[in-house]
Amino acid sequence: SLPDLPKPNIAGLSITRDEFGVPHIEAKKRTDAMFGIGWAMAADRLFSMDVARHAGRGRITELVGYDPGLLRQDESVFEFSGYDEADLQAQYDDIVANYGGTGKLADKDITAFVAGINGFITRVNNGTYTLAVTNFIGGVVSPGAVVRVRVPQRLLTPVIAPGALFR
């Protein structure tokens, strides 16, 4: 049987799961749908999302501890990426400012998606739901563990492209 996962309390947003545990999100508003997608993704894979976030920023050793191989991986990411957090923020701001309605819609979608992730984290940290992985990560998800999505926006583009989700 599937675990009883918490659901957000947003009127007009429904997250149900089929017999395989696949979330089905129905919403009256696009922002609520994006919130629901973030919530469902966090419910299903918060730990792996946080690992990917740390690895993508060359900071995996902060999460899992010192390991010579992982430290070399972090250094390689820094060497390859060639930009820091300020540059990354500038790239994001450029998309919002220079791509008209599409840039503004992407920003609105990403903001709602991240709010869904953080809403789930808040529910976990309030003690109303326990993640199976919390024993591994110390019992609580770090406050603000997933505050914003900037690096993975390239991965989200096909998901939030016009018409990709909404008929």
Side-chain angles (χ1 to χ4, degrees), residues 45-56:
R45 57 185 61 88
L46 181 61
F47 182 71
S48 60
M49 290 167 70
D50 204 27
V51 169
R53 182 178 68 90
H54 278 82

Side-chain angles (χ1 to χ4, degrees), residues 106-118:
D107 181 50
K108 193 173 180 181
D109 285 348
I110 290 168
T111 299
F113 173 79
V114 171
I117 295 168
N118 286 330

Side-chain angles (χ1 to χ4, degrees), residues 87-108:
D87 294 327
L88 196 54
Q89 184 64 50
Q91 291 173 31
Y92 185 85
D93 293 343
D94 179 65
I95 290 170
V96 174
N98 296 312
Y99 285 83
T102 302
K104 288 174 181 41
L105 181 60
D107 181 50
K108 193 173 180 181

Side-chain angles (χ1 to χ4, degrees), residues 41-54 60 63-64 120 131 133-134 136-137 141 146:
M41 282 185 65
D44 288 349
R45 57 185 61 88
L46 181 61
F47 182 71
S48 60
M49 290 167 70
D50 204 27
V51 169
R53 182 178 68 90
H54 278 82
I60 193 70
L63 181 67
V64 299
F120 181 80
L131 293 173
V133 75
T134 53
F136 177 74
I137 61 175
V141 179
V146 182

Side-chain angles (χ1 to χ4, degrees), residues 2-148:
L2 298 171
D4 187 24
L5 296 171
K7 295 180 176 128
N9 297 322
I10 296 178
L13 171 63
S14 169
I15 302 175
T16 58
R17 291 179 180 266
D18 62 22
E19 66 273 14
F20 301 106
V22 176
H24 297 268
I25 299 155
E26 294 182 29
K28 294 187 185 291
K29 297 188 295 186
R30 183 181 177 104
T31 54
D32 292 345
M34 295 308 294
F35 183 98
I37 293 167
W39 182 285
M41 282 185 65
D44 288 349
R45 57 185 61 88
L46 181 61
F47 182 71
S48 60
M49 290 167 70
D50 204 27
V51 169
R53 182 178 68 90
H54 278 82
R57 286 196 160 96
R59 302 176 85 159
I60 193 70
T61 53
E62 287 180 3
L63 181 67
V64 299
Y66 176 76
D67 176 87
L70 292 177
L71 186 58
R72 283 191 296 280
Q73 176 183 319
D74 284 351
E75 291 167 347
S76 295
V77 170
F78 281 122
E79 290 171 9
F80 176 75
S81 67
Y83 53 83
D84 60 17
E85 289 293 319
D87 294 327
L88 196 54
Q89 184 64 50
Q91 291 173 31
Y92 185 85
D93 293 343
D94 179 65
I95 290 170
V96 174
N98 296 312
Y99 285 83
T102 302
K104 288 174 181 41
L105 181 60
D107 181 50
K108 193 173 180 181
D109 285 348
I110 290 168
T111 299
F113 173 79
V114 171
I117 295 168
N118 286 330
F120 181 80
I121 290 170
T122 298
R123 181 74 60 89
V124 169
N125 285 342
N126 286 342
T128 56
Y129 179 72
T130 303
L131 293 173
V133 75
T134 53
N135 291 333
F136 177 74
I137 61 175
V140 198
V141 179
S142 300
V146 182
V147 174
R148 58 194 179 128

